[in-house]
């Protein structure tokens, strides 16, 4: 009998944390780290300020959690990039997923972009550890594809940079994209066209 209330408590906790992180993502994207406040985040989440502080004792902790969350989602998007994979499939899948995340999680991308533009004052340590090691691992995979003759000789590092900048453009500059699309967000069909176009542009001449 005791397991039932514990399960309900756990669900409530998870639901509250999800609300908080979603609200924090929006506020940090719109106002930056300095401009966002726990009060604004609580208002957006529809929760008391005390609830925010209960789960995240400081604004910095909440901010770091948001930044790490979007990075972990992006990292999972690259799960197909392994030595044994077909390069065209793996890279194409990565591009598709990154574009879908730009569509569904634009605020997370903007938080990341704003942090990097400011010189990563809060998460520089994260860049120097998690991001650096992850990037080196992906570059090593691309180098292995080159050595195996699966793709032509290119810079794996700059290929990753090109994928990041292109896919995240659709989130970070979504207002510009919408403006150039007759003032309307991209439709489902246009997002599919985007995925095809970006893969054609980035992978043509790379994959054999």
């Amino acid at each position: 009998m005791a397991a039932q209330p514990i399960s309900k408590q756990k669900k409530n906790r998870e639901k509250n944390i999800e609300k908080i992180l979603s609200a924090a993502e929006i506020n940090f994207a719109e106002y930056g780290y300095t401009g966002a406040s726990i009060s604004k985040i609580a208002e957006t989440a529809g929760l008391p300020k005390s609830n925010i502080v209960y789960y995240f004792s400081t604004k910095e902790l909440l901010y770091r959690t948001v930044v790490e969350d979007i990075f972990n989602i992006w990292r999972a998007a690259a799960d197909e990039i392994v030595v044994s994979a077909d390069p065209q499939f793996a890279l194409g899948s990565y591009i598709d997923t990154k574009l879908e995340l730009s569509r569904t999680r634009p605020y997370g991308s903007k938080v990341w972009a704003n942090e990097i533009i400011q010189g990563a004052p809060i998460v520089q340590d994260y860049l120097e550890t998690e991001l650096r090691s992850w990037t080196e691992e992906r570059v090593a995979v691309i180098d292995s594809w080159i050595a195996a003759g699966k793709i032509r000789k290119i810079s794996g590092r700059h290929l990753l940079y090109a994928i990041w900048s292109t896919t995240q453009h659709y989130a970070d500059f979504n207002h510009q994209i919408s403006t150039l699309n007759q003032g309307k967000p991209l439709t489902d069909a246009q997002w599919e066209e985007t995925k095809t176009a970006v893969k054609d542009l980035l992978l043509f001449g790379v994959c054999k």
Side-chain angles (χ1 to χ4, degrees):
M1 293 295 292
Q4 191 172 1
I6 292 175
S7 177
K8 184 177 180 181
Q9 184 181 31
K10 182 181 178 182
K11 286 181 179 179
N12 286 338
R13 174 187 174 85
E14 290 173 350
K15 186 177 179 180
N16 284 340
I17 290 176
E18 184 179 346
K19 282 183 178 181
I20 293 167
L21 290 177
S22 178
E25 199 170 278
I26 292 170
N27 278 268
F28 286 132
E30 292 187 345
Y31 305 110
Y33 177 77
T34 302
S37 67
I38 296 297
S39 296
K40 287 179 182 177
I41 292 168
E43 183 179 350
T44 303
L47 294 169
K49 181 178 176 180
S50 58
N51 277 37
I52 311 296
V53 178
Y54 175 78
Y55 293 110
F56 300 94
S57 56
T58 65
K59 185 170 76 169
E60 180 175 335
L61 174 60
L62 178 53
Y63 181 81
R64 290 182 67 91
T65 303
V66 168
V67 172
E68 290 174 12
D69 182 55
I70 190 63
F71 175 74
N72 287 334
I73 291 171
W74 284 341
R75 176 161 54 185
D79 281 349
E80 300 288 350
I81 302 178
V82 293
V83 174
S84 60
D86 172 71
Q88 188 168 354
F89 171 80
L91 294 171
S93 176
Y94 183 46
I95 290 169
D96 280 347
T97 305
K98 287 284 273 88
L99 281 170
E100 191 60 28
L101 288 169
S102 286
R103 180 186 190 183
T104 59
R105 295 285 298 272
Y107 290 112
S109 181
K110 290 177 182 178
V111 173
W112 182 275
N114 289 336
E115 171 70 11
I116 303 306
I117 288 169
Q118 297 299 319
I122 308 297
V123 298
Q124 179 63 29
D125 60 321
Y126 197 75
L127 301 186
E128 293 176 355
T129 54
E130 295 293 328
L131 179 61
R132 180 175 290 165
S133 63
W134 180 90
T135 302
E136 295 304 326
E137 288 170 3
R138 301 287 82 71
V139 169
V141 170
I142 295 170
D143 286 344
S144 75
W145 288 339
I146 294 170
K150 293 182 178 180
I151 62 174
R152 71 181 184 84
K153 190 174 182 180
I154 58 167
S155 166
R157 187 176 308 279
H158 291 292
L159 175 60
L160 289 176
Y161 294 168
I163 292 173
W164 299 345
S165 61
T166 304
T167 56
Q168 287 159 232
H169 173 88
Y170 290 87
D172 302 340
F173 293 89
N174 63 347
H175 178 73
Q176 177 174 277
I177 296 290
S178 296
T179 299
L180 296 176
N181 191 46
Q182 307 301 319
K184 300 176 182 178
L186 297 182
T187 64
D188 291 349
Q190 286 175 314
W191 273 106
E192 291 307 311
E193 290 172 6
T194 299
K195 291 175 183 178
T196 298
V198 170
K199 284 184 290 188
D200 284 346
L201 290 166
L202 292 179
L203 300 184
F204 179 74
V206 173
C207 298
K208 295 185 176 181

